[in-house]
Amino acid sequence: EDKGSVDDTTKLWEILSEYQPRTVEAIQKQIVTHIEYTLARSRFTIDHHSAYMATAYSVRDRLLEYFNDTQQYFNEVFPKRVYYLSIEYLLGRTLANALTSLNISGVYRESLRELGFVLEDLYNQEQDAALGNGGLGRLAACYLDSAAALDLPLWGYGLRYNYGMFTQSIIEEKQSEFPDFWLSRGFPWEIERLDVVYAVNMYGFVRKATPAELEDGYKGKFVWEPDMEVLAVAYDLPIPGYKTNTTLNLRLWQSKPSHDFDLMSFNRGNYTAAIALRQECENITSVLYPDDSTPQGRELRLKQQYFFASASLQDIVRRYRKSGRSLLEFGQYNAIQINDTHPAVAIPELMRILLDEEGLPWGEAWAVCVQTFAYTNHTVLPEALETWPVPVMEKLLPRIMQIIFDINCTFLSCVRKRFPGDESRVERVSIIAEGHTQLVRMAHLGIVGSHAVNAVARLHGEIIQDRLFRDFYEMFPKRFTYVTNGVTPRRWLLECNPYLSHVITDTLGSEDWTKDIEQLCRLKDHATSRKLQQQWLMAKRLAKERLILFLKTTQLKDDPNPPTLDPNAMFVVHIKRIHEYKRQLMNILQVLLRYLRLKDYAELVTGTESIPHVVPRVIIFAGKAAPAYTRAKEIIQLIVSAARLINNDPVTRNSLVVFFVADYNVSKAEILIPAADISEHISTAGMEASGTSNMKFALNGANIIGTYDGANIEIAEEVGKEKLFMFGANAKEVEDVRAAYARGEAETIPTDLDRVISFIESGALLSKEERARGITGAGAYRAICDEMRSGTDYWLVAHDFQSYIKAQAQADRAFANPKAWTENSINLTGGMAHFSSDRSVKEYADRIWKVKPCPVPGQTGSIEEE
Ligand code: TH1
């Protein structure tokens, strides 16, 4: 290694050990320096965006001090490390988060104020980093935040997509998708590592190693002769720990063509084909697949997965090898968590490295793998369980396919030994599904190759043990466990809800709750305090005002006749990916029923401005549909057209307003969640593995209308189920109802639902354009109406409808008593300590990874109180 030519490094260390001062003057100087030298902008033409960029660069400089110290410390101490492999990270914005972690928001606000900028305005200059679809990607981001706050020696690995989650627009009441080129104005937070590069093989064939190669030192039995070689370049994103020196790394890979390979192709004389090949390499990390819980079996997706797994594993093995330790001890020093099956191909990839590159015998290599890997399952939806056709995998990854067959062979002979003669069991658990085309079942690969398999909530754990992976549970009962998801209280309370955070800190007498989340429980002691209740209400009101302002300046900007938005109204929020199992449909049908009932009532009490004795509601939907998911797009259209009808009705508009907020993302969630009085978590029971926004809402004092599904059950248990509005069939009942449907026992449609469906079928929701084109009746909603009338709808919307209406009515009654409502709200926040991702990550660290904190010492203990 090139250590440079400096013999006496005293001077170097002297300079390096000085940290940048945290005074207003020093910060201002740095910001201005970045404007001039990094951005090369004239100091006299600073707009908001360059002020944001310069501020971000100056914060990055401070992050890097901690980052470098942390990484150096980890290398010295060499603790057991954790690697979190996730194909998605839904990070959102970074500036506010970094300032909060470093505890320097105040001094930055002051510095910028004197330079003529408001810090909060600069926050809005930042584009969300949306390298994920929804809950799964956001969970990964929360876990990084918690791991850093807890000083765990953890790194995240992911992909650096050029296009993140698509931007959603509503055009003619329908979803349209636009590319999210999030890097277009620069991303100041990352460090490009052009020197951290790995070659990843694809295509080609496998042959036996020749005696000459073996003599030459080749350690494996087989040689993969690839047809394509892609380079993976590292981009590092510092992940600051809240009020600690620890700053972790999120390493994202970007694909690029390999030069060596170019030369080969060009020499073969095929110039255009060689250029096309370069393009193919770059394409691998071009785009995030926009499907949440429904895999698209595209070869490019498998390329992404292998590219990701291979680059990450090569990096991890290289880092470990540098320590000089034996590969047989690899699993004692490294834990690798696989976030769903998307990175599961990492298991045969580690086998390949250990067998072919390191020459380990099969048995030893396999023992290392199982000791190292752990797999998290996030869904039980059958259509979401990933499989890859064997011919596709064979062509793209011939050596990996061969290893998977070998793994399966060894595994199945164990199964046959334990269950002699039980061939149907062998077929059920096999990693390869037989059929017209054989399929690789990625979940089975994940289970067989890991020492721990975890669900993400208790009910989900029961379902995977009893149903989904029952055969595996019988073989490896100790492997299975669950770790209930959590959310970071920093982003999801401290940062997004400054109003409520102040009240909490004031009530508890310190800010310790942001790190020691158990402190939140003490809020319950004050739930009946008049003073706290008033402050609590005021905080909620401020959050609502912020949301109203946001809606007025975006959604309603060009509306000639906008509805009035009353902060005293009940704000009900339903925000998540649009999916049939999440039942946004049931909600909008309920909203239409409410509208029809309001109209009935208004007829009785004509002549009044607003309808008396009715709790006014502002109902907000938001969420994206996968571009190919037709039904989900119809549901969006239904919501948008219902909102148009309802918001324009002069009779009801002071009592009911409905919005579909376009382009839902993390930063919009940060505005919506604090403003909610109630949130909807109404999935068909047994279908939502956990859900995590339920936790974010309750943490911000919002109530939940919810089913007995996922983490709702545990939330209800923590806070007391009488505090929430729980309804509907439970998971067991859902099974029974579906079994009855399958026997042909259809249900009759409930009267209220029948009324709403008839209303839609009357053509009430048709747009002007549709009418002009002569369309009548249900129009675009024909299929939805038919399904509701079938009496056997798979997601049990009709079955649960009456009990849902009852829960809504309960909520109306409860909201009419502000004192009791506020007391309840305080108790909800006070009961949410269990759902901090700090708790989840501690559980993973103790029970699955077996790693301990590795706090970084040193004078960087400069994270003093401001
Ligand atoms: C989600 C689950 O639906 C949700 O219930 C859970 O809270 C969250 O993961 C975090 O555990 C999932 N997201 C995805 C995304 C893809 C594939 C499967 C799932 S499950 C792409």
Side-chain angles (χ1 to χ4, degrees):
E1 260 185 36
D2 176 11
K3 294 235 188 307
S5 55
V6 190
D7 285 330
D8 181 3
T9 53
T10 334
K11 187 72 199 169
L12 202 66
W13 282 110
E14 212 178 279
I15 297 171
L16 278 175
S17 62
E18 266 173 38
Y19 294 88
Q20 293 177 347
R22 290 158 176 246
T23 60
V24 167
E25 301 73 57
I27 289 168
Q28 289 173 336
K29 183 123 205 283
Q30 283 173 15
I31 293 175
V32 175
T33 303
H34 278 298
I35 288 174
E36 179 152 33
Y37 300 108
T38 310
L39 304 174
R41 301 258 328 198
S42 150
R43 277 163 291 182
F44 307 102
T45 60
I46 309 169
D47 58 8
H48 273 85
H49 192 258
S50 32
Y52 156 70
M53 290 293 279
T55 305
Y57 278 119
S58 85
V59 176
R60 182 180 108 142
D61 291 344
R62 282 151 197 280
L63 285 178
L64 289 180
E65 296 173 344
Y66 295 97
F67 180 83
N68 291 334
D69 287 359
T70 305
Q71 302 320 321
Q72 202 201 330
Y73 187 68
F74 287 172
N75 287 336
E76 276 165 32
V77 177
F78 214 78
K80 181 174 186 182
R81 291 176 173 231
V82 188
Y83 297 105
Y84 197 84
L85 266 54
S86 178
I87 206 137
E88 302 191 5
Y89 289 89
L90 194 41
L91 297 166
R93 293 173 175 165
T94 295
L95 180 55
N97 187 252
L99 289 173
T100 310
S101 293
L102 297 173
N103 207 18
I104 50 177
S105 316
V107 62
Y108 261 80
R109 186 173 291 108
E110 179 62 16
S111 310
L112 285 161
R113 196 183 54 75
E114 288 186 10
L115 296 178
F117 292 97
V118 175
L119 177 59
E120 278 71 18
D121 292 346
L122 299 195
Y123 290 164
N124 288 324
Q125 290 295 317
E126 186 171 352
Q127 276 243 33
D128 278 37
L131 306 182
N133 274 282
L136 173 136
R138 184 53 232 175
L139 186 77
C142 282
Y143 283 3
L144 293 181
D145 181 273
S146 286
L150 295 168
D151 299 311
L152 291 177
L154 178 148
W155 272 27
Y157 279 102
L159 290 179
R160 184 177 184 270
Y161 303 107
N162 288 115
Y163 296 90
M165 189 59 205
F166 68 80
T167 302
Q168 177 194 55
S169 294
I170 301 298
I171 299 177
E172 290 179 355
E173 307 197 334
K174 295 185 202 60
Q175 167 175 299
S176 294
E177 303 91 25
F178 294 92
D180 164 47
F181 190 61
W182 67 294
L183 298 163
S184 62
R185 301 191 77 182
F187 183 59
W189 301 103
E190 65 187 358
I191 310 146
E192 189 179 44
R193 303 278 192 203
L194 294 176
D195 55 329
V196 181
V197 187
Y198 297 94
V200 177
N201 291 340
M202 290 180 189
Y203 301 111
F205 61 93
V206 178
R207 59 166 175 82
K208 285 221 168 90
T210 63
E213 281 168 328
L214 293 172
E215 206 142 292
D216 235 29
Y218 186 78
K219 296 182 191 152
K221 293 196 180 109
F222 295 95
V223 177
W224 179 357
E225 298 274 12
D227 245 4
M228 178 167 148
E229 189 187 81
V230 190
L231 296 186
V233 183
Y235 288 76
D236 288 348
L237 204 54
I239 305 291
Y242 177 69
K243 289 191 185 173
T244 170
N245 297 330
T246 304
T247 293
L248 301 180
N249 189 13
L250 171 56
R251 176 158 284 181
L252 301 177
W253 301 108
Q254 181 166 63
S255 62
K256 74 172 199 189
S258 114
H259 190 56
D260 292 351
F261 236 69
D262 282 355
L263 291 177
M264 284 166 55
S265 325
F266 283 106
N267 286 343
R268 283 191 218 122
N270 199 343
Y271 173 77
T272 41
I275 294 290
L277 203 67
R278 288 184 70 86
Q279 198 58 53
E280 210 181 313
C281 293
E282 274 166 4
N283 278 346
I284 293 176
T285 53
S286 282
V287 59
L288 165 74
Y289 274 89
D291 305 271
D292 189 272
S293 315
T294 37
Q296 298 285 307
R298 310 294 290 270
E299 188 175 306
L300 178 60
R301 172 73 168 189
L302 183 59
K303 268 190 203 165
Q304 284 187 342
Q305 295 186 353
Y306 181 67
F307 169 82
F308 168 47
S310 180
S312 308
L313 262 296
Q314 290 186 58
D315 196 39
I316 295 166
V317 171
R318 190 221 46 180
R319 183 167 313 114
Y320 178 71
R321 293 227 57 166
K322 267 206 331 212
S323 79
R325 288 173 174 78
S326 157
L327 279 166
L328 296 177
E329 290 176 7
F330 184 85
Q332 290 162 41
Y333 287 95
N334 300 282
I336 303 179
Q337 190 70 33
I338 307 251
N339 200 26
D340 213 275
T341 53
H342 322 130
V345 68
I347 294 167
E349 173 65 4
L350 180 57
M351 283 301 279
R352 185 193 65 78
I353 295 172
L354 296 178
L355 296 169
D356 298 0
E357 293 179 13
E358 306 291 346
L360 254 59
W362 179 276
E364 287 174 3
W366 185 244
V368 166
C369 273
V370 175
Q371 191 187 11
T372 303
F373 286 107
Y375 152 56
T376 306
N377 171 275
H378 291 266
T379 178
V380 300
L381 294 180
E383 69 271 26
L385 297 176
E386 263 192 311
T387 57
W388 289 105
V390 166
V392 172
M393 198 174 283
E394 211 145 44
K395 186 178 91 179
L396 181 65
L397 310 170
R399 179 61 181 134
I400 295 300
M401 190 64 246
Q402 197 181 32
I403 291 171
I404 293 175
F405 276 129
D406 289 349
I407 292 172
N408 198 37
C409 203
T410 323
F411 168 62
L412 292 184
S413 70
C414 284
V415 180
R416 290 198 173 98
K417 235 182 251 153
R418 280 238 356 227
F419 303 93
D422 195 348
E423 278 308 300
S424 72
R425 174 184 296 266
V426 171
E427 204 178 293
R428 290 198 305 271
V429 298
S430 175
I431 296 172
I432 308 294
E434 300 299 332
H436 177 63
T437 37
Q438 290 183 310
L439 299 170
V440 184
R441 295 162 163 155
M442 299 305 275
H444 293 200
L445 179 62
I447 298 169
V448 173
S450 304
H451 67 281
V453 177
N454 78 281
V456 291
R458 193 209 306 138
L459 174 71
H460 178 219
E462 289 163 10
I463 292 174
I464 71 175
Q465 284 179 21
D466 300 347
R467 292 209 321 255
L468 194 62
F469 300 140
R470 188 192 184 114
D471 294 315
F472 289 100
Y473 178 63
E474 285 169 6
M475 289 195 68
F476 316 111
K478 287 209 197 108
R479 237 172 241 204
F480 285 81
T481 186
Y482 72 90
V483 179
T484 300
N485 284 167
V487 300
T488 168
R490 271 76 64 184
R491 182 176 295 261
W492 296 112
L493 181 50
L494 182 63
E495 290 157 35
C496 76
N497 199 344
Y499 323 109
L500 203 62
S501 296
H502 275 130
V503 173
I504 294 171
T505 300
D506 194 43
T507 306
L508 300 180
S510 93
E511 217 189 59
D512 294 350
W513 60 270
T514 55
K515 207 156 175 168
D516 175 13
I517 195 72
E518 291 299 326
Q519 297 291 328
L520 269 191
C521 303
R522 291 200 287 119
L523 276 177
K524 293 188 242 176
D525 304 339
H526 307 269
T528 52
S529 144
R530 232 20 232 140
K531 175 174 162 243
L532 176 58
Q533 288 183 3
Q534 268 159 12
Q535 291 179 334
W536 201 266
L537 265 175
M538 183 54 74
K540 185 60 79 182
R541 195 190 168 93
L542 289 170
K544 287 180 174 181
E545 302 274 14
R546 183 176 66 174
L547 171 59
I548 290 170
L549 185 67
F550 167 79
L551 291 170
K552 281 187 177 155
T553 50
T554 53
Q555 200 93 2
L556 298 173
K557 199 171 45 135
D558 304 315
D559 194 331
N561 182 24
T564 44
L565 290 170
D566 177 2
N568 293 310
M570 179 204 270
F571 280 49
V572 186
V573 179
H574 196 172
I575 49 177
K576 48 185 89 241
R577 285 301 287 256
I578 311 294
H579 204 296
E580 285 160 284
Y581 85 80
K582 295 178 188 280
R583 297 201 290 192
Q584 284 93 353
L585 176 59
M586 187 164 76
N587 189 0
I588 193 61
L589 295 174
Q590 169 268 147
V591 171
L592 282 165
L593 177 67
R594 176 173 292 267
Y595 168 70
L596 293 173
R597 285 178 172 177
L598 279 175
K599 298 274 281 183
D600 294 346
Y601 187 36
E603 257 182 44
L604 299 174
V605 292
T606 45
T608 43
E609 256 295 284
S610 57
I611 309 169
H613 312 302
V614 167
V615 179
R617 280 200 187 196
V618 174
I619 298 174
I620 297 175
F621 291 86
K624 293 172 184 175
Y629 191 170
T630 311
R631 174 54 55 87
K633 290 182 142 178
E634 288 167 8
I635 292 169
I636 291 179
Q637 196 184 342
L638 178 60
I639 296 168
V640 174
S641 59
R644 181 230 321 136
L645 175 80
I646 293 170
N647 297 350
N648 287 305
D649 191 326
V651 177
T652 56
R653 70 188 333 232
N654 290 322
S655 307
L656 183 61
V657 181
V658 182
F659 287 115
F660 185 88
V661 173
D663 199 37
Y664 177 53
N665 59 17
V666 170
S667 47
K668 284 178 186 157
E670 289 168 3
I671 299 174
L672 288 160
I673 292 170
D677 293 304
I678 300 201
S679 63
E680 305 254 355
H681 305 275
I682 59 176
S683 50
T684 314
M687 300 292 115
E688 187 74 275
S690 164
T692 42
S693 74
N694 42 7
M695 303 165 185
K696 295 167 196 165
F697 278 105
L699 187 62
N700 283 274
N703 210 314
I704 288 175
I705 291 188
T707 45
Y708 290 93
D709 199 14
N712 287 354
I713 297 175
E714 288 159 80
I715 294 174
E717 216 167 80
E718 279 296 311
V719 303
K721 71 170 189 286
E722 72 291 344
K723 292 200 169 59
L724 309 176
F725 305 104
M726 305 290 285
F727 73 96
N730 64 26
K732 169 80 183 57
E733 289 160 353
V734 169
E735 293 247 290
D736 295 344
V737 169
R738 281 179 178 165
Y741 290 172
R743 291 193 302 270
E745 298 166 22
E747 293 179 12
T748 49
I749 185 169
T751 328
D752 286 332
L753 181 58
D754 179 61
R755 181 174 183 201
V756 178
I757 298 301
S758 301
F759 181 64
I760 298 172
E761 287 168 339
S762 76
L765 296 182
L766 295 175
S767 65
K768 251 197 227 127
E769 293 71 18
E770 282 170 312
R771 285 175 222 270
R773 274 187 286 144
I775 296 172
T776 56
Y781 316 118
R782 180 76 271 154
I784 288 177
C785 290
D786 289 348
E787 192 179 333
M788 290 301 100
R789 292 202 176 286
S790 72
T792 58
D793 77 279
Y794 186 73
W795 307 105
L796 274 68
V797 170
H799 180 88
D800 279 346
F801 198 74
Q802 273 334 105
S803 117
Y804 181 47
I805 299 298
K806 239 169 94 184
Q808 294 285 354
Q810 272 170 19
D812 282 325
R813 279 195 299 279
F815 194 72
N817 180 349
K819 206 168 150 292
W821 182 272
T822 308
E823 180 182 331
N824 198 51
S825 167
I826 297 167
N827 281 320
L828 292 180
T829 304
M832 290 307 291
H834 184 67
F835 302 96
S836 161
S837 46
D838 294 353
R839 188 270 312 148
S840 314
V841 169
K842 265 190 212 129
E843 281 193 42
Y844 278 97
D846 294 344
R847 291 170 32 215
I848 297 177
W849 305 331
K850 310 267 195 289
V851 295
K852 295 207 169 48
C854 182
V856 184
Q859 72 228 67
T860 42
S862 47
I863 311 260
E864 330 89 13
E865 296 300 312
E866 271 199 327

